[in-house]
Amino acid sequence: MTRHVSLKSAINEALDQEMARDPKLLIFGQDTAGGVDAGGETDTWGGVLGVTRGLYTRYGDRVIDAPPTEMAYVGAAVGAALSGFPVVAEVPFIDFMGVCFDQLLNQAAKMRYMFGGTAEIPLVVRTMVGAGINGAAQHSQMLTAMFTHIPGLKVVCPSTPHDAKGLMIEAIRDRGPVIFCEPKYLYETTGPVAEAPYAIPFGQAHLAREGHDVSIVTYGPMVPRALEAATQLAETGIEADVIDLRTLSPLDIATVLKSVQKTGRLVAADEAHPRCNMATDIVAQVTRQCFTSLKAAPQMVSAPHTPVPFSPVLEKAYIPGAEQIMAAVTRIMA
């Protein structure tokens, strides 16, 4: 049975179904068990924005509350995973991944290689990414590309409830480690999601819209903006492929190349800062691997190289949207 649920609820359902399937699966995070039976609360808060709400009452001490000490509890999660206990650890905002970066960069990401392929680290680190909720400069960054630079880490960023559930289940069943980036701006967006568990394999991009004039490649919160741009461009006679990468590492560059070889034009979009983001990576790989198919220089759309503003007016101006994508397509078509 398929229902329309929010992206946040789809992640919650994936966690619930996987905890029911695997009695060893643990959840670590801030406020995951906070608030129960306090001040009229009948359930826990379920994390900073309530994604894990309801799981504590069903799974008890397998849902472990942690203080805001990311280095400590992510380190504990790495150790638990190495000891055979799959863990989903929540670092509420990707902005604070720097606090536990060594645990991921030099521990979780390296263990399998350093132990000759014998070590398994079934670890998922959930974290929220992106602007759009007036979270200001320390709670709004899009640092996804930073983690794609690290061999041994898989990086995921869904754009729809359907993908969020399927990719989360895949991440938990993977032998990890996986950085699962959740666009908080899309938490309340709804879409069809199957009730039964299902997994979406990593490294498979999704062709969200088909066209023949230009390839728009993006992921996460930029996908609905790209689709909005493509709808408006179609009214002017320009038909665009819109490719949702879904996983950033591994990256399905083959689907991107196939599209660009068909259209001859590329617009790569990323909400991240413009230096060394996913858009620059896509443009570099396309230019190197199918240069002769290009009819025009690839275009990139990204946020400016500034901290994310707190002012709602400035934040709206900061976030790249459909207008910027349309402008890039107009330039490349000319």
Side-chain angles (χ1 to χ4, degrees):
M1 185 177 70
T2 299
R3 312 111 326 134
H4 273 69
V5 301
S6 68
L7 189 145
K8 181 165 69 173
S9 297
I11 294 171
N12 181 287
E13 186 170 87
L15 293 170
D16 187 9
Q17 291 176 346
E18 287 302 288
M19 292 197 80
R21 180 188 66 85
D22 186 351
K24 297 180 71 175
L25 178 61
L26 306 174
I27 289 180
F28 292 0
Q30 299 173 38
D31 296 327
T32 54
V36 66
D37 297 329
E41 289 283 340
T42 58
D43 194 7
T44 60
W45 296 324
V48 174
L49 292 185
V51 177
T52 59
R53 187 174 178 86
L55 299 182
Y56 177 77
T57 54
R58 287 194 284 278
Y59 301 105
D61 58 7
R62 290 168 58 198
V63 179
I64 301 170
D65 220 8
T69 53
E70 290 84 355
M71 179 182 288
Y73 72 79
V74 171
V78 174
L82 280 166
S83 301
F85 289 88
V87 181
V88 177
E90 178 182 357
V91 176
F93 300 93
I94 200 170
D95 315 64
F96 300 111
M97 292 284 264
V99 182
C100 59
F101 198 53
D102 182 66
Q103 309 288 3
L104 300 171
L105 168 67
N106 286 321
Q107 306 303 325
K110 303 296 192 295
M111 291 294 186
R112 181 175 295 176
Y113 174 78
M114 294 178 69
F115 286 94
T118 61
E120 292 187 338
I121 308 94
L123 169 68
V124 180
V125 179
R126 293 182 44 244
T127 190
M128 293 184 285
V129 298
I133 64 168
N134 305 128
Q138 295 175 325
H139 298 77
S140 305
Q141 296 175 86
M142 195 75 181
L143 302 177
T144 46
M146 179 187 301
F147 294 91
T148 68
H149 188 70
I150 303 170
L153 294 181
K154 298 181 176 74
V155 184
V156 180
C157 191
S159 68
T160 67
H162 171 269
D163 288 356
K165 178 176 177 178
L167 291 168
M168 175 57 76
I169 290 176
E170 178 73 7
I172 293 170
R173 296 179 184 180
D174 190 90
R175 303 322 291 172
V178 180
I179 309 299
F180 197 93
C181 302
E182 301 170 10
K184 53 187 177 289
Y185 181 72
L186 300 181
Y187 267 163
E188 301 304 328
T189 59
T190 61
V193 176
E195 184 175 339
Y198 60 90
I200 296 175
F202 291 161
Q204 294 185 8
H206 172 59
L207 183 60
R209 182 183 176 113
E210 190 166 3
H212 50 77
D213 295 312
V214 60
S215 302
I216 303 173
V217 181
T218 188
Y219 69 95
M222 290 300 294
V223 172
R225 300 163 193 165
L227 289 170
E228 178 185 350
T231 299
Q232 296 185 47
L233 287 165
E235 297 175 358
T236 69
I238 298 173
E239 296 292 342
D241 266 4
V242 177
I243 296 175
D244 179 356
L245 295 172
R246 300 201 290 195
T247 61
L248 310 182
S249 185
L251 179 67
D252 183 7
I253 194 64
T255 293
V256 176
L257 296 174
K258 181 178 179 181
S259 174
V260 174
Q261 287 165 353
K262 175 182 69 174
T263 67
R265 302 178 181 91
L266 169 66
V267 173
D270 190 348
E271 191 186 300
H273 303 304
R275 296 289 307 279
C276 303
N277 65 21
M278 291 307 301
T280 63
D281 187 13
I282 293 296
V283 167
Q285 294 200 50
V286 167
T287 303
R288 180 171 60 87
Q289 296 188 58
C290 62
F291 180 79
T292 56
S293 297
L294 293 171
K295 301 175 182 177
Q299 300 290 305
M300 291 179 286
V301 176
S302 63
H305 197 62
T306 68
V308 183
F310 174 63
S311 160
V313 174
L314 292 178
E315 185 187 45
K316 184 178 180 181
Y318 168 93
I319 299 171
E323 297 82 4
Q324 288 91 330
I325 295 173
M326 291 176 64
V329 171
T330 299
R331 288 194 300 272
I332 203 170
M333 293 301 296

